[in-house]
Amino acid sequence: MSNDEGVLRVRVLGADPAHADREARELRDRLRGLAGIEARFAERKMPGPGRDGAKGALLTPEVVLLVSGGSLGLARVAIKGWVEVRKSRRVRLESGDGTVTEMTGLSRRELRELREQHQGERGESPEASG
């Protein structure tokens, strides 16, 4: 990992390499929409040889994005919001200072419960927000 503290490494994990790639592209596009944020793919390493007896190269179901510029705090909030929308989403954030944060998406039931809890705290009825 680079010593640059102004770069956030975002490992987007998927069920398989194609899934991770699709998810990473969607997240990259979402982050690029934030003012001053640059998001790009890290240089991909060539897959290494598989274990003895394997039929092909070892593929890892993760893609790494490098996020820099603007407010990395804002980028973290956007990533958290993006992850929470779908249970299959998983990311690992690695800051330049060595801090690692893992985020996993929520199921629809968990998301609904959080919304209802939040609305209850604000004194709204669930029907009022649609």
Side-chain angles (χ1 to χ4, degrees):
M1 186 161 72
S2 156
N3 289 333
D4 185 1
E5 291 188 23
V7 174
L8 183 64
R9 291 178 64 87
V10 182
R11 294 183 182 275
V12 180
L13 304 149
D16 58 54
H19 179 254
D21 189 65
R22 280 191 306 273
E23 294 283 45
R25 288 179 189 284
E26 182 179 326
L27 179 56
R28 179 197 60 186
D29 293 345
R30 174 81 45 96
L31 292 171
R32 284 181 170 175
L34 299 174
I37 296 291
E38 179 185 328
R40 62 183 172 82
F41 287 105
E43 188 173 316
R44 295 184 191 208
K45 296 178 183 175
M46 294 302 293
R51 289 178 271 151
D52 288 342
K55 294 185 179 184
L58 179 64
L59 295 175
T60 58
E62 72 176 34
V63 177
V64 179
L65 292 174
L66 300 177
V67 180
S68 61
S71 167
L72 292 182
L74 177 61
R76 285 176 181 272
V77 169
I79 293 167
K80 184 174 178 9
W82 178 84
V83 167
E84 288 181 348
V85 171
R86 193 171 300 136
K87 187 175 184 173
S88 64
R89 291 184 173 162
R90 292 180 31 223
V91 298
R92 179 183 171 114
L93 306 177
E94 301 171 2
S95 299
D97 65 1
T99 304
V100 175
T101 306
E102 294 195 21
M103 298 178 185
T104 305
L106 301 172
S107 68
R108 289 180 186 202
R109 180 185 54 79
E110 292 168 320
L111 195 56
R112 183 176 57 248
E113 287 172 0
L114 281 175
R115 285 182 180 150
E116 289 172 358
Q117 179 184 8
H118 181 70
Q119 289 168 345
E121 290 171 0
R122 292 184 4 197
E124 298 176 4
S125 68
E127 296 80 27
S129 62

